[in-house]
Amino acid sequence: MLNDAHCHFFSTEFFATLARQRRGLTLVRSPLQEEMDRELIGPALAQKICEELKWDAPGSAYTLADRWLHELDSHGVARAALIASIPGDETSVAAAVSRHPDRFVGFFMLDPSSPEPVARARRAVFDLGLRGICLFPAMHQVPLDDERVQEVVEVAASRPGVAVFVHCGVLSVGVRRKLGLPSRFDLRLGDPLAVARLAASAPQVPFIIPHFGAGLFREALMAADAAPNIHLDTSSSNGWIRYTPGLTLEAVFKTALGVVGASRLLFGTDSSFFPRGWQRPVHDAQKNALAAAGAGAGDAELVFGGNFDRLFPVVEAKAAADAPAPGT
Ligand SMILES: [Zn+2]
């Protein structure tokens, strides 16, 4: 069994939003303008951006969902978390989940400094059936002890099966860099120790710190040791290990198994765009590292699939199915 706890759903809306950001278009738009923009201008903006990146344009959310499905099938991946990777793109991922509810779990990026973050989180979780609220404190420059963050966590706490994902440590968004978009991140705000405090306030909510803390490995381990509801995801090529002299992925897994245990490690790849698709090399490197770290078959089973199914069991995504269909 193989489940991927960390994939990005780079939808048309995602690329269109980046295009607008690059043009500096942050105008307040009426709902009608928004709808027109979504249906008419958005796809053209996304197309242009993808041509520039030499990536495949995603098409409609359903088209992209089907592409992801085939991609998972071709690699023998049973299920995956798909992250709406720009605030405001919840409906795209909800559409993907509604199309293949037994294969996808919907996560979404939430900016707590945006208008009405709690209402937005409630809508995503209760109306759209999404199951992971993703916070990027360094990007959105909202400290984790901000009251708005606490209120968002309370939304997760009010719906069993909803996790809070908090990106900590080093953060670089490749697509933003490629497009020349500024990324004025305050890395000090992505501190796993602040996640420990938040996690302690909502012990029934699973928290996920991706990439083993992305450079703040020691702090991520301390946080997870302090709060039993903190999980670490193993995703990406984990390039952060170069910040610690001599550190290897094998040593990372060995240490994480020793401190956190196999039941709180979630395999992920951080796959995102097409045609590159699902990142098998990332999987293979982790599989080898986990074996070299001495993990048995039972532990590997938990890390590569069992924990994900336990946290995000297959449910009838009725709410997601009822969600309004997004534009293209
Ligand atoms: Zn990611």
Side-chain angles (χ1 to χ4, degrees):
M1 179 179 39
L2 189 54
N3 294 321
D4 190 332
H6 191 139
C7 294
H8 291 272
F9 196 70
F10 282 0
S11 66
T12 286
E13 186 60 22
F14 170 81
F15 290 114
T17 304
L18 292 180
R20 283 186 219 108
Q21 284 184 2
R22 191 160 65 165
R23 288 185 181 181
L25 294 180
T26 50
L27 301 171
V28 177
R29 295 172 293 165
S30 72
L32 182 65
Q33 282 170 317
E34 279 215 7
E35 186 159 338
M36 280 181 58
D37 184 283
R38 199 180 299 266
E39 290 188 3
L40 301 173
I41 305 165
L45 291 175
Q47 181 79 37
K48 258 188 96 174
I49 288 269
C50 289
E51 276 168 21
E52 191 178 323
L53 292 164
K54 300 191 169 58
W55 294 355
D56 293 348
S60 76
Y62 293 143
T63 303
L64 184 59
D66 290 348
R67 184 151 198 196
W68 264 111
L69 187 83
H70 292 132
E71 185 72 5
L72 298 188
D73 283 346
S74 70
H75 288 284
V77 182
R79 304 174 67 218
L82 298 178
I83 305 171
S85 303
I86 203 135
D89 195 26
E90 296 92 318
T91 51
S92 297
V93 159
V97 173
S98 72
R99 195 155 172 99
H100 304 293
D102 54 339
R103 304 293 297 276
F104 301 143
V105 173
F107 286 14
F108 65 104
M109 185 190 275
L110 181 74
D111 177 357
S113 74
S114 65
E116 303 191 47
V118 171
R120 188 168 266 285
R122 288 190 67 83
R123 175 173 169 267
V125 162
F126 286 96
D127 300 343
L128 301 178
L130 303 189
R131 291 199 268 173
I133 304 175
C134 301
L135 302 174
F136 287 72
M139 182 187 291
H140 300 131
Q141 314 225 351
V142 180
L144 289 170
D145 52 11
D146 190 285
E147 197 178 324
R148 292 166 294 183
V149 174
Q150 187 67 52
E151 286 170 2
V152 165
V153 168
E154 281 160 20
V155 174
S158 68
R159 175 109 185 186
V162 173
V164 175
F165 164 117
V166 187
H167 191 285
C168 296
V170 70
L171 175 62
S172 81
V173 183
V175 64
R176 296 189 71 87
R177 213 176 35 237
K178 276 178 168 241
L179 294 173
L181 281 163
S183 294
R184 297 187 189 95
F185 302 153
D186 186 346
L187 299 183
R188 295 171 300 178
L189 298 176
D191 183 354
L193 298 181
V195 181
R197 181 183 167 280
L198 209 53
S201 77
Q204 74 277 38
V205 175
F207 280 71
I208 300 168
I209 298 178
H211 324 302
F212 293 104
L216 298 177
F217 183 42
R218 185 185 64 156
E219 288 78 0
L221 292 172
M222 289 165 67
D225 206 18
N229 50 330
I230 292 182
H231 304 68
L232 306 183
D233 104 17
T234 67
S235 72
S236 84
S237 54
N238 287 298
W240 59 267
I241 63 176
R242 72 186 192 279
Y243 301 137
T244 303
L247 190 60
T248 63
L249 196 54
E250 176 190 334
V252 168
F253 270 107
K254 195 169 184 141
T255 309
L257 284 170
V259 176
V260 182
S263 63
R264 286 195 281 148
L265 299 179
L266 293 160
F267 161 72
T269 57
D270 210 7
S271 300
S272 54
F273 64 89
F274 289 97
R276 187 181 71 172
W278 194 70
Q279 286 288 281
R280 178 160 284 285
V282 168
H283 164 269
D284 293 350
Q286 292 189 27
K287 195 174 171 200
N288 293 338
L290 193 63
D299 283 353
E301 173 80 11
L302 287 173
V303 175
F304 282 101
N307 295 331
F308 185 84
D309 278 339
R310 187 184 72 243
L311 290 180
F312 307 106
V314 175
V315 292
E316 283 302 313
K318 188 184 174 312
D322 293 341
T328 46

